[in-house]
Amino acid sequence: MKHKAVPITTAAGRPLASNPPARTEMSREGIVVAIACSICMGLSFAPVFMGTFPLFLEPVSRQFHWSAAMFPQAMLISGLTGALSGPLVGRLIDTMGVRKVLLPGLLAWAAILAAMSLLNGSIILLYVISALMGPLAATCGPVALAKVVSSWFDRSRGIALTAVLGGSVAIFTSLMLVLTRVLIVDIGWQGAYLALAGLIVAIALPVSYFFLKEPPQSSPSVMTGKPDIASMDLKPMTAFTSRAFWTVILASTLVCASCSGLSSHFVPWAGERGVSSATATFALTLYSLAGPFSSLLAGGAADRLPRPGMLAIVFALPLLGFLAMLTSQEWAVVIGLALMGSGFAAVAGLLPFFTSRYFGLANASTIFGVAVGLTTLSLGVGPVVLGILRDKWGAYTPASPVLAGALSLAIILALTLPRYPRR
């Protein structure tokens, strides 16, 4: 006599999945989407505008007879408006879907970047373009791309997110610097801005249109045969009032502010300690190049370590690097700054991983938008605070305990991270 198979049910009466579908998170389709996200991220605000800004600073300021502090206000204003608009952009993505926001956002981002070529010496025009750039660039930046990557990857989410949001930024920034230097020499800074905007339209837009998409309506947990993840998707206000959210944010912002502050002031800081300008330049290069490798290692560790508090070792890298930099040896300064760069990139890359693991994917963009906004603000606060302390005390060395204390507190907070919700 044949027995009919009866599915085992949960307490809620739902059948318990026994066999995952054929499509897995490491499918060819998922990898193609991750590559598309990397290209889009590589042509976003951070690599294309902020990464190349030092090359535009001198020719733009010279042409309009601006002071050294005038043109950099474009970064401050665009970063601030981008941070403030992050939650709204995230809500739009959660409500409308990624493609409906990202694709027109790419066109708007390219248009506002091209508008930089219209600068004519008017401070008002500079402020208007900069203020619009932040929100428009945010529509096709990490807030949107983090949700796409998180929805395609579960068991390998950490390494996927850090590769796309961390590694690609460092690689494309290096490429953009080389290309921009050539463009400014050949066609001037106005033409360079137009050419960079053209790259966004010619490369990022078609790549995103054809290859960047969210997965079919199935959660990553179903893909891997795990229980339904929908039960752990939290409302934004629930996330914003949780201990997990603020522990992650405080630990991350302390690291980001400290590393941003020191790297921004590194050349004069190194000069005070007798480090040559050539060594300081080499150390800053390693600071950037160490990022992609440390991001991947941190992402792989996040995927495998059972408790988030064990990732405190990642948060400890900047402190170890800074302590090494306090010695009198030039080689220690170089290695120390490289360690700080490694820790900074790894911590920044882990931020979307933490938010998706703690709060689910349903409102991931809204929650991550707020997190990105707060960490972006910390990147601007760090250099300002260190500059104020330097002006007050007449040197950078007296501020060392402040930096060491901030980085130590970040490690303590990381050690106290609560366990991920059971799924």
Side-chain angles (χ1 to χ4, degrees):
M1 185 175 71
K2 295 183 179 181
H3 296 277
K4 184 178 179 180
V6 179
I8 301 174
T9 59
T10 63
R14 297 176 182 172
L16 183 65
S18 58
N19 295 312
R23 182 175 68 85
T24 67
E25 64 173 10
M26 294 307 293
S27 66
R28 179 173 176 268
E29 191 176 16
I31 294 173
V32 168
V33 170
I35 294 173
C37 288
S38 297
I39 294 173
C40 189
M41 189 68 200
L43 291 170
S44 65
F45 175 78
V48 176
F49 182 70
M50 296 192 74
T52 63
F53 190 86
L55 300 181
F56 288 97
L57 177 60
E58 194 275 333
V60 173
S61 300
R62 182 180 64 246
Q63 178 169 331
F64 300 131
H65 306 288
W66 284 343
S67 68
M70 181 58 66
F71 192 38
Q73 293 182 43
M75 285 202 301
L76 178 61
I77 294 172
S78 58
L80 178 61
T81 57
L84 294 175
S85 62
L88 176 60
V89 171
R91 189 59 184 165
L92 287 175
I93 292 170
D94 287 332
T95 303
M96 301 172 58
V98 173
R99 288 174 62 86
K100 290 182 179 180
V101 176
L102 184 141
L103 293 176
L106 280 170
L107 289 174
W109 155 230
I112 199 65
L113 182 65
M116 291 293 292
S117 67
L118 302 178
L119 293 176
N120 56 12
S122 169
I123 303 302
I124 295 177
L125 181 61
L126 173 67
Y127 288 170
V128 170
I129 294 176
S130 302
L132 291 174
M133 181 177 292
L136 295 179
T139 60
C140 51
V143 176
L145 299 173
K147 180 157 189 177
V148 175
V149 176
S150 296
S151 63
W152 276 96
F153 294 87
D154 182 38
R155 287 172 299 176
S156 304
R157 185 180 299 168
I159 196 168
L161 283 170
T162 51
V164 171
L165 303 185
S168 64
V169 170
I171 293 171
F172 272 83
T173 298
S174 301
L175 295 175
M176 290 296 108
L177 283 170
V178 174
L179 176 61
T180 301
R181 185 177 291 109
V182 174
L183 289 172
I184 292 177
V185 171
D186 289 347
I187 59 178
W189 66 266
Q190 293 99 332
Y193 271 127
L194 289 173
L196 292 176
L199 282 179
I200 297 170
V201 176
I203 298 177
L205 185 61
V207 166
S208 300
Y209 181 81
F210 289 108
F211 303 110
L212 197 155
K213 58 183 178 181
E214 294 179 86
Q217 293 299 317
S218 62
S219 69
S221 58
V222 174
M223 291 163 51
T224 56
K226 296 179 181 179
D228 188 6
I229 197 174
S231 60
M232 65 161 287
D233 286 326
L234 301 182
K235 297 294 183 181
M237 287 309 301
T238 303
F240 299 149
T241 56
S242 68
R243 181 172 75 89
F245 179 81
W246 288 108
T247 303
V248 169
I249 291 300
L250 290 175
S252 300
T253 53
L254 285 170
V255 169
C256 291
S258 300
C259 292
S260 173
L262 187 59
S263 62
S264 298
H265 291 267
F266 179 70
V267 173
W269 183 93
E272 284 188 2
R273 305 191 67 82
V275 177
S276 67
S277 59
T279 301
T281 302
F282 176 65
L284 282 172
T285 302
L286 287 184
Y287 177 87
S288 298
L289 293 178
F293 303 101
S294 63
S295 296
L296 291 175
L297 291 175
D303 289 328
R304 289 162 177 78
L305 294 177
R307 291 178 296 169
M310 299 173 71
L311 290 169
I313 189 172
V314 175
F315 288 78
L317 289 176
L319 178 61
L320 294 175
F322 180 66
L323 294 177
M325 293 168 64
L326 297 180
T327 67
S328 58
Q329 301 296 323
E330 285 197 352
W331 63 266
V333 173
V334 173
I335 294 176
L337 192 65
L339 282 174
M340 289 198 75
S342 299
F344 167 66
V347 168
L350 285 174
L351 188 60
F353 172 84
F354 280 133
T355 55
S356 64
R357 278 286 184 248
Y358 277 120
F359 313 118
L361 298 179
N363 299 291
S365 294
T366 304
I367 298 169
F368 184 51
V370 174
V372 167
L374 293 172
T375 52
T376 301
L377 287 177
S378 74
L379 293 176
V381 169
V384 173
V385 171
L386 186 56
I388 292 173
L389 294 178
R390 197 274 177 201
D391 292 338
K392 178 180 179 180
W393 292 323
Y396 288 105
T397 300
S400 296
V402 177
L403 286 171
L407 293 171
S408 299
L409 180 57
I411 298 171
I412 295 173
L413 288 168
L415 285 169
T416 64
L417 283 169
R419 289 181 177 271
Y420 302 124
R422 296 185 64 184
R423 299 182 296 164

